[in-house]
Amino acid sequence: MKKVALVTGGSRGIGLGIARKLAEAGFDLAINGVRPEEQVAEALDSLRALGAKVAYCAGDIGSPEGRERIWSSFDAAYAQLNVLVNNAGVAPKTRLDILETTAESVEYVIDTNLLGGFFMSQTAAKRLIAAKERNAEFEGMIINITSISSTVVSVNRGEYCMAKAGLSMVSQLFAARLGQYDLPVYEVRPGVIKTDMTAGVTEKYDKLIQDGLCVQPRWGYPEDIGKAVAALAKREFPFSTGQVVMVDGGLTIPRL
């Protein structure tokens, strides 16, 4: 029986890049998003063309009701989860200096990028433990997609940095809690990735990359993240729970 991966925010951008590489690696997929299914049909069909069974699990991970919808749709399609990829995230609707950031903006970003990932992990962890207790040979894991913003400061989007830093700790917490069950938890930390989220700052980052922002002088792409996630999901790093995989082209290497 094929393993099943649930990818939040999997119908576009980094999430779709991850889903493609998981499909190529032989996983069936549950794709989460907030748009109506007809609006993501093309993306879902592209994954099915790679040989995967694909279920769409609509719902907002940032709300309890949304998470319930996601898991209900998942259960209607699959009997068992093997891999949760916490990828869904939002940027602040308006970038504001931290001296001007509003409570509404902080709550909006934290609810999705941190609390959503935490509570999706909580539910997934309980399911993975139960599966492991039923079958000692069961293989499962959680992979959190964070950002270099976990440690790299952007004072005009502090809420995003705080949320990603928090999700990095979520990865450590669940890695420690699930270690006794041999259920690894990993963090993949992307750098500057060309997606619709970064479309508005393309010119800015084109210049920064040209001027040496990254050791490897190019943008990252969703497939770069997908390749890292697929390697982890295939258990090619079975004794590395809690580790951070940097996919940032060397951006965070300290240099003089």
Side-chain angles (χ1 to χ4, degrees):
M1 186 170 67
K2 293 173 72 173
K3 292 181 179 178
V4 178
L6 167 57
V7 183
T8 66
S11 66
R12 68 203 308 175
I14 288 174
L16 183 55
I18 291 168
R20 284 174 176 151
K21 291 303 177 183
L22 288 173
E24 291 173 2
F27 285 79
D28 284 334
L29 299 169
I31 300 298
N32 157 253
V34 294
R35 292 178 290 171
E37 185 167 356
E38 58 269 20
Q39 292 184 17
V40 299
E42 184 177 350
L44 301 180
D45 287 343
S46 74
L47 297 171
R48 295 183 180 110
L50 296 173
K53 174 184 174 181
V54 180
Y56 187 58
C57 302
D60 177 5
I61 69 163
S63 74
E65 299 79 14
R67 293 189 291 271
E68 287 181 10
R69 285 185 60 202
I70 294 165
W71 288 114
S72 177
S73 296
F74 180 89
D75 290 337
Y78 296 111
Q80 183 170 277
L81 173 74
N82 296 93
V83 180
L84 170 65
V85 182
N86 277 313
N87 165 78
V90 296
K93 294 178 181 178
T94 304
R95 291 192 177 205
L96 296 173
D97 183 279
I98 57 172
L99 300 181
E100 306 297 334
T101 303
T102 65
E104 291 78 12
S105 184
V106 171
E107 291 167 3
Y108 167 67
V109 174
I110 294 289
D111 282 351
T112 297
N113 295 8
L114 177 54
L115 298 183
F118 176 83
F119 286 111
M120 289 296 294
S121 294
Q122 184 185 73
T123 299
K126 292 176 181 178
R127 289 167 174 244
L128 297 177
I129 291 169
K132 192 74 170 183
E133 290 177 338
R134 289 192 300 268
N135 175 14
E137 301 301 313
F138 171 80
E139 295 181 345
M141 70 181 65
I142 297 171
I143 304 172
N144 291 323
I145 310 302
T146 61
S147 167
I148 56 169
S149 294
S150 290
T151 59
V152 177
V153 167
S154 297
V155 296
N156 65 342
R157 54 172 188 158
E159 59 270 61
Y160 186 83
C161 298
M162 290 188 295
K164 290 298 186 179
L167 190 59
S168 293
M169 178 52 72
V170 169
S171 302
Q172 298 291 296
L173 288 165
F174 278 94
R177 184 66 179 84
L178 299 183
Q180 64 184 293
Y181 302 100
D182 191 26
L183 296 168
V185 180
Y186 305 102
E187 177 186 349
V188 175
R189 197 175 289 180
V192 180
I193 309 298
K194 189 175 278 294
T195 68
D196 55 353
M197 187 179 286
T198 55
V201 289
T202 296
E203 186 176 341
K204 169 188 173 181
Y205 282 111
D206 280 344
K207 185 177 189 309
L208 287 171
I209 291 168
Q210 182 181 343
D211 291 343
L213 177 68
C214 305
V215 172
Q216 293 174 274
R218 69 166 176 88
W219 283 80
Y221 296 97
E223 55 262 37
D224 292 314
I225 313 304
K227 289 175 182 177
V229 171
L232 295 169
K234 290 188 292 182
R235 291 186 64 88
E236 293 185 1
F237 297 86
F239 199 53
S240 297
T241 192
Q243 295 306 299
V244 179
V245 179
M246 303 299 298
V247 189
D248 70 348
L251 185 155
T252 51
I253 297 174
R255 288 171 283 161
L256 290 174

